[in-house]
Amino acid sequence: MATPRPASLAALTAVLTGLCAWASPALATTPHARHAARCSRTGRLHGKAGSFRAGHAPVSSKRRRPSCRHKPVRHKPVPPKAPVNSSALSGYGACDNTTLRPTVRNLEVIRTATICLVNRERIAHGETPLRDNSKLGAAAQGHTESMAWSNYFEHLGPGGQTPLDRMRAAGYIYSSNLGYEVGENIAWGTGSLGTPSAIVAAWMASSGHRANILDAHYRDTAVGVSPHPPKSLAHDQLGGIYTQDFGVITG
């Protein structure tokens, strides 16, 4: 029986990628709480993605504001901006190695390709490109390796660590007096679905992940990648698992 052809990229990614998304208000009156993340699962999927967002207003020296509490809520759609002249994209340069599959020897190349694709999406939608940040890189790579070797796929680590916890531990959020906005996208895929081009295409086809990629406030980013998707999900197939962290320090 012939396989039906998807009508669009969005239709294709809906078949191949399970999606979940979270956001949180910038401030709340209760102490920081653990962020509970759940995604739908099905054995037929060969890829999966999830996103996380959080923010905190700067704390003045005279009066401490409460920390944020993360609640799973729907992302607001990113409003379209005026198209960017093609010369802006051509000036940024082409993205190389976007169809490579991750291996233990090419992870830096994969990271560079993924960030390049994300920045091209930002430029195409009228946003400034993001800067690669080594501290976010430590947080993103650590979480990617944790998911790969501990066989799970969540924003929460095995000990309940949130993306905020990891960014604080890595030194990106280095003071409780800082204001910040941060986000995180995660995804895994087997075979050709584990390449940078497939991962970024799936993120852009989902409102939550797209909101992180196109957020006008973010200035910094980093990508962590491993060629070992969680065994229980990928059924020992080779591919890639990705974490992309986003942030801006406002205080």
Side-chain angles (χ1 to χ4, degrees), residues 10-153:
L12 176 62
T13 53
V15 173
L16 298 179
T17 310
L19 304 174
C20 54
W22 299 268
S24 71
L27 293 173
T29 56
T30 55
H32 170 78
R34 289 182 177 177
H35 175 78
R38 296 182 182 274
C39 300
S40 60
R41 301 185 185 279
T42 169
R44 295 183 178 180
L45 298 179
H46 297 280
K48 188 177 180 65
S51 68
F52 172 97
R53 303 180 79 191
H56 189 273
V59 178
S60 69
S61 59
K62 295 182 179 180
R63 181 179 179 182
R64 179 176 293 275
R65 295 185 181 182
S67 61
C68 61
R69 181 178 181 178
H70 311 297
K71 299 179 181 179
V73 298
R74 293 184 182 275
H75 286 283
K76 294 181 179 179
V78 177
K81 291 198 172 185
V84 174
N85 191 296
S86 59
S87 62
L89 281 176
S90 61
Y92 186 73
C95 296
D96 298 324
N97 305 309
T98 61
T99 59
L100 288 182
R101 301 183 186 188
T103 71
V104 294
R105 297 182 178 181
N106 70 357
L107 298 185
E108 190 58 40
V109 170
I110 297 294
R111 291 187 192 100
T112 300
T114 305
I115 292 175
C116 182
L117 288 171
V118 165
N119 277 337
R120 283 184 68 84
E121 292 290 352
R122 287 178 64 87
I123 292 169
H125 290 84
E127 304 298 350
T128 57
L130 301 172
R131 305 168 298 201
D132 195 358
N133 182 279
S134 61
K135 293 177 180 178
L136 285 181
Q141 187 63 31
H143 186 54
T144 294
E145 293 178 3
S146 176
M147 291 190 292
W149 299 115
S150 298
N151 193 28
Y152 71 97
F153 181 77

